[in-house]
């Protein structure tokens, strides 16, 4: 392949797409880019890319087209519906890698549309990515790809160019499976991004030094990849630099809840996060970094009348913050794994993806294996291999945090929801069951 | 009794207490009032009452003391802990009617404290009320009273003076049972007050005329006592007149969730409402009428970028608003009844109380009997007497509303939670069960 690298069309040169496309240029590919935003195309040319003025022009005579636009609506426009759309201009048998995060239902519909317009020859690959702009430019993304075997084989080299060698996940199930894997990963992202703001807002109500609180969390069982990456920006006076706008995680969150509703599946954690994201966007925080939602949590401090908590020492207060996060992460792990099981995904693959990507948390690592075992076992008999803390301990720490937040009149949307979910889970345990292990929470989803 | 009405001490002459005390004056009682707010005492004297400068002075030689302060903390101060507290000054065998809304745990603790200080002779009655200031002054409150038989008999005439003849509920279970009845009623109040703001905020995002939306709701199966009473103030430009401050319903809400946590009982609906109340109080809306929380819901309209719903006609949009409320009311009814069952309350009595008080809703009337039958039946076999709409219909209407709210990026905290709860309930139905009737939602609580 090295001596005759195929030409690539690349549609959508945003924060992620620009990095991905320039990485391909650096790997020696001739890449023709298209974007609606002219200055981006100029920048791309400066990096050695070629520029097209329409999607159709970009894909002409290209056997490979990567599409990295922001939404399903945009994908539909550039591929099929818009003026000078790509699909009619693609050569026979060309591969289209749709790397945007879209609903499974959309990419499956797209596959049907291709057949309906007589382009069933196109080798569509459902290949959403994760990892952020830096890893995009570095060619070390996580990629979750679903497609026919033929399409995967045709495109494997290109997926490999864009991904870390250990982070290319070929999801069984064809078109839609990649998007579903990305979606269940985003259950963790949606909850853990907001949990960062919630925990630090709670720390503010507790009167803690927030930098110290963040450091404590990061070296505790309450840590998550998102907390580590978001907390510095949440504590920046202007929530800078903007790494990911609130509107972006809201978009992914809404995909999760909409697909879940379509499947009749409950997503109490992600739905709670979504409502808070709507509130943030309604306040005008949509373009701001998602870590800036800490504003929704700490704004009441000092405005809710005289309040008094019971935790006196910094140590006790920090333990409450960690307990809040552990409880939230427990339930976001449960929602992720239960949804993955409902969608028929390979749970071991999902787990491996999640712990090595932005959805990772100490709690997921600890309870994930037990949860997977529980959802595989229809009857609900625990595998009995609970790692880490007992459920009693996690619930009691979470309850202490929610109790204290109530005394301080501090909102803890996710923590309160997580506590209720653990209670609902316990209410549905068979009376004859052994003492509950931590992962049992996953059974609340059915 | 008419010829020799006993003297009454009345502690706490706020909005409710003032009306209750002046009503007793009008009924021919000699009432000695105490309040920390001097001008109120002057007003009370002008209405024919007597004024005392301390609780001890008020109760001196009084065989009856009604306490109507705002919180458990205040009750503890005026009865026992404060300077010149009432209890030491009460005659032997006097009756104390605690009418404040307090946690069951507090009034039970108070009973123990009376014994501990050697005043086990006092005939304590746990007698919270409902009905608002107008009915307080009219002597037609709903009263939920729990106490020993002797204390009830001693105080029955006084409870009757303050209540509507059909709305005096003597709760079995002694001290704490009255507060528990009030508390489960407030589950409905907490959710349905906020649901009014949520539904009208959603109507605003839909672009509906809000007065027309309110009128439609009131003549629909989405109606509730709270919606009827709150919606005019929610639509008033300044949310006037202030009938009940946001801090008041937040106090009752926090009693519910705190007592539920103490019992290990999940309250996903009320907890969601509480988090939104915290947000409202944090925004500075605490002293404002609780109907003003509509501001939290409509503020994003026009600020969330171009959005487009699918409902085109006013009729379709109004149906979404009604569907949202029906779903919320279904789940608040479930939470109320499941919690009442957990607390061992007389469900028929709770139901009768609720449908005739501020917690009433068309949905509660329709599904309450089936829900009560289901929680009484351990195995979960439905009574098969589903009234009103099928669960499928309620869920599908609710889902349409939540779908549309998502398209409009409108927050619907309670509606989203209610939808997830119905899904969780369905996930736990035995596979062999017959088609789900509407009340089955109650089974999600265990």
């Amino acid at each position: 392949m090295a001596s005759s690298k195929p030409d690539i069309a690349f549609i959508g040169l945003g924060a992620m797409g620009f990095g991905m496309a320039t990485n391909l240029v650096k790997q020696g590919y001739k890449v023709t880019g298209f974007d609606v935003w002219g200055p981006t195309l100029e920048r791309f040319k400066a990096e050695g890319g070629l520029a097209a003025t329409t999607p159709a022009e970009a894909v002409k005579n290209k056997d490979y087209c990567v599409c990295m636009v922001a939404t399903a609506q945009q994908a539909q426009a550039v591929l099929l519906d818009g003026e000078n759309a790509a699909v009619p201009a693609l050569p026979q048998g060309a591969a289209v890698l749709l790397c945007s995060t879209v609903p499974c239902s959309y990419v499956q519909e797209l596959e049907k549309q291709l057949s309906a317009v007589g382009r069933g020859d196109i080798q569509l690959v459902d290949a959403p990515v994760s990892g952020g702009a830096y890893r995009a430019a570095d060619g070390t993304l996580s990629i979750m790809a679903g497609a026919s075997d033929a399409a995967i084989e045709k495109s494997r080299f290109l997926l490999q160019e864009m991904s870390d060698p250990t982070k290319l996940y070929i999801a069984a199930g064809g078109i839609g499976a990649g998007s579903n894997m990305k979606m269940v990963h985003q259950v963790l992202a949606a909850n853990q991004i907001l949990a960062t703001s919630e925990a630090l807002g709670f720390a503010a109500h507790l009167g803690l030094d927030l930098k110290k609180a963040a450091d404590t969390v990061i070296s505790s069982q309450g840590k998550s990849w998102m907390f580590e990456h978001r907390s510095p920006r949440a504590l920046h006076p202007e929530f800078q630099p903007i790494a990911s706008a609130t509107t972006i995680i809201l978009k992914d969150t809404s995909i999760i809840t909409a697909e879940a509703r379509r499947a009749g599946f409950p997503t109490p954690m992600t739905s709670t996060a979504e409502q808070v994201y709507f509130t943030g966007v309604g306040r005008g925080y949509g373009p701001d970094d998602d870590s800036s939602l800490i504003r929704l949590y700490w704004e009441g401090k000092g405005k809710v009348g005289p309040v008094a908590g019971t935790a006196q020492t910094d140590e006790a207060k920090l333990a409450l913050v960690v307990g809040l996060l552990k409880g939230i992460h427990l339930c976001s792990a449960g929602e992720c794994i239960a949804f993955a099981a409902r969608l028929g995904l390979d749970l071991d693959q999902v787990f491996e993806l999640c712990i090595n990507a932005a959805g990772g948390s100490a709690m997921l690592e600890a309870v994930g294996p037990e949860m997977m075992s529980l959802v595989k076992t229809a009857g609900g008999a625990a595998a009995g291999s609970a790692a880490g803390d007992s459920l009693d301990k996690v619930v009691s720490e979470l309850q202490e945090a929610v109790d204290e937040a109530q005394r301080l009149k501090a909102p803890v949307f996710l923590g309160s929801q997580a506590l209720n979910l653990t209670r609902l889970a316990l209410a549905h345990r068979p009376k004859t069951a052994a003492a509950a292990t931590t992962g049992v929470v996953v059974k609340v989803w059915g």
Side-chain angles (χ1 to χ4, degrees), chain A residues 30-54:
Chain A
K30 199 170 101 184
V31 183
T32 305
F34 169 75
D35 197 279
V36 289
W37 179 237
T40 300
L41 280 178
E42 293 306 312
R43 263 181 71 213
F44 186 56
K45 283 198 278 187
E47 298 281 341
L50 302 169
T53 55
T54 68

Side-chain angles (χ1 to χ4, degrees), chain A residues 71-89:
Chain A
T71 64
Q73 289 73 14
Q74 291 177 9
Q76 180 69 15
V78 297
L79 293 175
L80 281 164
D81 287 355
E83 238 177 303
N84 299 303
V87 164

Side-chain angles (χ1 to χ4, degrees), chain A residues 197 200-202 204-205 279-280 283 285 292-304 408-411 413:
Chain A
S197 284
L200 289 171
F202 179 42
H205 281 271
T279 300
R283 295 286 292 277
Y285 304 160
S292 75
L293 295 189
I294 190 172
R295 288 176 282 183
L296 297 178
Y297 286 97
W298 70 21
E299 68 182 341
K301 184 170 156 57
K303 287 197 228 153
V304 292
L408 301 173
K409 299 197 185 352
F413 283 93

Side-chain angles (χ1 to χ4, degrees), chain A residues 144-184:
Chain A
M144 298 127 267
S148 68
D149 291 348
I152 291 289
E153 282 325 303
K154 181 178 172 76
S155 303
R156 188 183 293 273
F157 76 96
L158 190 50
L159 295 167
Q160 286 170 338
E161 293 286 12
M162 299 190 288
S163 65
D164 181 286
T166 66
K167 292 179 179 170
L168 174 58
Y169 299 92
I170 308 298
I175 291 294
S179 287
N180 274 342
M181 264 189 93
K182 171 80 195 259
M183 179 173 70
V184 300

Side-chain angles (χ1 to χ4, degrees), chain A residues 16 20 68 98-101 126-146 158-171 178-179 181-183 185-186 225 349-360:
Chain A
M16 294 291 288
M20 293 162 74
M68 190 55 190
L98 180 57
C99 293
S100 311
T101 296
D126 169 29
V129 307
S130 178
Y134 180 84
R135 281 171 56 194
D138 199 38
T140 56
L141 288 167
S142 298
I143 301 186
M144 298 127 267
L158 190 50
L159 295 167
Q160 286 170 338
E161 293 286 12
M162 299 190 288
S163 65
D164 181 286
T166 66
K167 292 179 179 170
L168 174 58
Y169 299 92
I170 308 298
S179 287
M181 264 189 93
K182 171 80 195 259
M183 179 173 70
H185 174 272
Q186 291 308 88
W225 190 97
Q349 197 181 35
V350 166
F351 179 69
E352 198 199 324
L353 161 70
C354 291
I355 59 171
N356 291 308

